[in-house]
Amino acid sequence: MFIAMNRFEIAPGREEVFEKLWRERESHLEEVPGFREFHLLRGATTGESTLFASHSVWDSRAAFEAWTESENFRKAHANARAPKGTYLGHPKFEGFDVVL
């Protein structure tokens, strides 16, 4: 199994906009071989930002990598833009092979 996570630093006051974007987007993940589940996680809020993480579970690293090179990936990310000032920098990717 493989877990893929992206961490997002979101500007204060933009959390609802960011959550709505994820809630309403067409991810096309259900059509992808090897996809198991997805969660959007909301973390700590400081005076500077709110931390979010996208968390997807895959049968394998190969299944995840195949998705990132697919037409479904391009479609899912084509309309994933938030209003200017929402993101405080680029997302930070972290990938994990499940050990236990």
Side-chain angles (χ1 to χ4, degrees):
M1 211 170 25
F2 182 74
I3 296 174
M5 297 181 73
N6 276 296
R7 293 176 174 265
F8 303 89
E9 295 283 336
I10 302 302
R14 300 290 188 135
E15 296 89 353
E16 295 301 321
V17 169
F18 182 74
E19 290 175 19
K20 183 176 190 275
L21 172 75
W22 282 88
R23 198 175 289 112
E24 295 178 357
R25 73 189 277 188
E26 292 184 41
S27 71
H28 302 277
L29 286 171
E30 300 300 329
E31 306 160 17
V32 179
F35 170 74
R36 290 191 180 191
E37 61 185 88
F38 174 85
H39 302 279
L40 181 63
L41 311 173
R42 185 176 183 161
T45 297
T46 67
E48 299 168 2
S49 67
T50 298
L51 176 65
F52 283 87
S54 63
H55 175 273
S56 57
V57 180
W58 299 83
D59 286 342
S60 65
R61 180 184 293 264
F64 170 75
E65 290 174 350
W67 175 68
T68 65
E69 298 169 2
S70 72
E71 182 61 27
N72 283 337
F73 180 86
R74 284 184 282 286
K75 286 193 281 186
H77 290 83
N79 296 317
R81 301 187 197 280
K84 187 175 181 172
T86 300
Y87 295 97
L88 301 175
H90 295 287
K92 295 177 181 85
F93 175 77
E94 298 173 319
F96 301 90
D97 292 300
V98 174
V99 177
L100 296 176

